[in-house]
Amino acid sequence: MCRAQMEFTCMKVFMLEHHDHTVNPNEVVGFAGDEGGEEVYRDPVVGQLMMKLLAPFRFGSKHTNGTEKEQGNLSMVASMDPEPTLEDVSRSFLGPSQPFFQFYSDFVGLYDSTSFGHPLFAALLLPPTSHQYARDYRRLLWGDHAHMLKSVRTEVEDVLARDEEEVRRSWLEPMECQKGDGEMLGGYVKALVKGQVTGFVRFIAVHQVASCLWPDMMQQHQPRETTGVTAEESNKNPLKLSSVNLLKALLASADETTLRDLLGYDQIRPKGEEATGVVRLLILLPPQCYHEASTNLQAQRIEWSVSVCGEGARRRFPTLTAPAPGDGSAS
């Protein structure tokens, strides 16, 4: 079975608690339902079986199973053939009358009402929010159910993704401001400012906000632009104007930890492997990415903030700290 089939199988186990009869308990991995009044997925045996099914697909498994070279080769081979999506694999079970989005909506609602932050339940919320799927999935989680994001404490190593390249193209790119999606960008800002988000969810939000906030990060996607930007230039460029409005919102509402992580956030550019002709897209992961920007780059970002928002911006940012030599962490 492919990863999407494994994910959907486990999602059906969680949906045994849902009173929608579109999910037939007799068809879900042999379990007959919750006759004792306790959620099936909380049974230790059931939980262990689901964890075992999904373990090979965890992002962290590439670091613990086999050598890095072997895992890299497996990733490259797997990426050559597009994998079926959850929408694909669910079609035969749900039938033509129920789209997967409706199933996912019920799944999110069930998590909200009964899960109490169950870690595997939370991890299964994330795959449909990748850019492989329509924005409606991301809007459902980050917008309509934003209040529950603080309970989604999935760490990066527990995300159901093959490798760094998949994480990048599924959640980090493209930038929401490049698509002109102010609603989604606003959802990320609210999650950081109000949601007390952690783990992989915080990583997504910090990346998307920082990528649309700092001119040097936007330049990575628009190489013809200069790194400097003034308020006058911002009025002429919608993308830059968006970054100024974003900065104002953050200065007004974000706490010191959020501002520090945004100020220190950075990513690396793709690195090509000329020998194979395959480009492996590498990413920096938390917490390193929150402290990767050099002191000089942080100072440039603060000066840009002052140039568009005044001296008050300088007082809102924490004191600059240089990354520790060798590991990129804050000193």
Side-chain angles (χ1 to χ4, degrees):
M1 294 176 70
C2 68
R3 185 177 68 199
Q5 290 171 318
M6 292 293 191
E7 291 171 347
F8 187 59
T9 295
C10 292
M11 292 175 83
K12 289 189 290 183
V13 174
F14 286 101
M15 286 292 282
L16 284 171
E17 312 312 319
H18 195 264
H19 297 296
D20 187 339
H21 295 293
T22 57
V23 177
N24 182 354
N26 295 322
E27 295 184 31
V28 184
V29 297
F31 297 109
D34 180 19
E35 298 176 355
E38 193 170 309
E39 294 93 341
V40 172
Y41 64 84
R42 295 192 189 280
D43 183 281
V45 175
V46 177
Q48 290 173 10
L49 286 172
M50 289 195 293
M51 291 291 289
K52 187 175 181 180
L53 282 174
L54 294 175
F57 306 105
R58 292 173 57 251
F59 178 81
S61 68
K62 74 181 288 290
H63 300 289
T64 57
N65 298 327
T67 66
E68 182 177 354
K69 181 178 181 180
E70 289 170 344
Q71 291 297 318
N73 290 339
L74 288 173
S75 297
M76 292 177 190
V77 171
S79 64
M80 292 177 184
D81 297 318
E83 295 181 355
T85 66
L86 284 161
E87 293 173 332
D88 295 330
V89 302
S90 66
R91 200 167 289 123
S92 61
F93 179 82
L94 297 176
S97 61
Q98 184 183 14
F100 177 72
F101 181 74
Q102 181 58 54
F103 177 90
Y104 180 69
S105 298
D106 295 338
F107 187 77
V108 172
L110 187 65
Y111 175 90
D112 194 8
S113 62
T114 70
S115 76
F116 300 102
H118 188 280
L120 186 55
F121 205 155
L124 287 167
L125 291 171
L126 298 175
T129 65
S130 80
H131 290 283
Q132 186 178 13
Y133 297 88
R135 72 182 294 273
D136 290 345
Y137 292 93
R138 296 189 294 282
R139 184 174 58 185
L140 181 68
L141 185 60
W142 289 89
D144 298 345
H145 290 270
H147 59 277
M148 71 184 201
L149 285 170
K150 63 184 177 182
S151 71
V152 183
R153 294 182 286 271
T154 307
E155 296 297 334
V156 175
E157 58 266 25
D158 294 321
V159 172
L160 297 168
R162 183 171 53 246
D163 52 23
E164 288 91 343
E165 180 180 355
E166 184 175 0
V167 170
R168 180 193 289 273
R169 59 181 169 82
S170 294
W171 287 284
L172 305 188
E173 295 180 354
M175 302 186 308
E176 297 294 353
C177 54
Q178 279 186 311
K179 300 184 294 182
D181 198 336
E183 182 181 12
M184 280 306 306
L185 187 57
Y188 296 133
V189 172
K190 289 178 182 177
L192 291 174
V193 171
K194 300 179 180 179
Q196 300 176 324
V197 288
T198 61
F200 188 68
V201 172
R202 182 176 178 81
F203 176 41
I204 296 172
V206 169
H207 174 84
Q208 285 288 348
V209 172
S211 296
C212 296
L213 173 64
W214 302 123
D216 59 273
M217 293 201 69
M218 289 191 291
Q219 187 185 16
Q220 294 183 23
H221 301 273
Q222 295 182 320
R224 293 185 180 181
E225 295 185 10
T226 60
T227 55
V229 55
T230 65
E232 182 179 356
E233 289 172 332
S234 297
N235 291 330
K236 299 177 182 179
N237 187 312
L239 189 58
K240 291 179 179 177
L241 179 59
S242 172
S243 70
V244 174
N245 292 334
L246 190 58
L247 175 63
K248 291 178 179 178
L250 290 165
L251 292 177
S253 304
D255 61 20
E256 182 175 336
T257 298
T258 298
L259 290 175
R260 182 176 61 245
D261 288 349
L262 288 169
L263 182 64
Y265 186 84
D266 205 7
Q267 277 294 337
I268 56 178
R269 293 175 179 268
K271 184 179 296 184
E273 291 189 350
E274 297 179 359
T276 61
V278 176
V279 176
R280 297 184 65 187
L281 302 181
L282 306 179
I283 58 174
L284 296 176
L285 301 174
Q288 181 183 358
C289 58
Y290 300 144
H291 314 294
E292 183 66 16
S294 67
T295 304
N296 183 56
L297 180 56
Q298 292 180 51
Q300 291 177 11
R301 290 173 172 180
I302 290 177
E303 291 307 315
W304 170 78
S305 301
V306 170
S307 74
V308 295
C309 289
E311 279 294 328
R314 194 187 307 278
R315 294 190 293 272
R316 287 288 285 120
F317 284 105
T319 303
L320 298 183
T321 56
D327 63 5
S329 61
S331 58

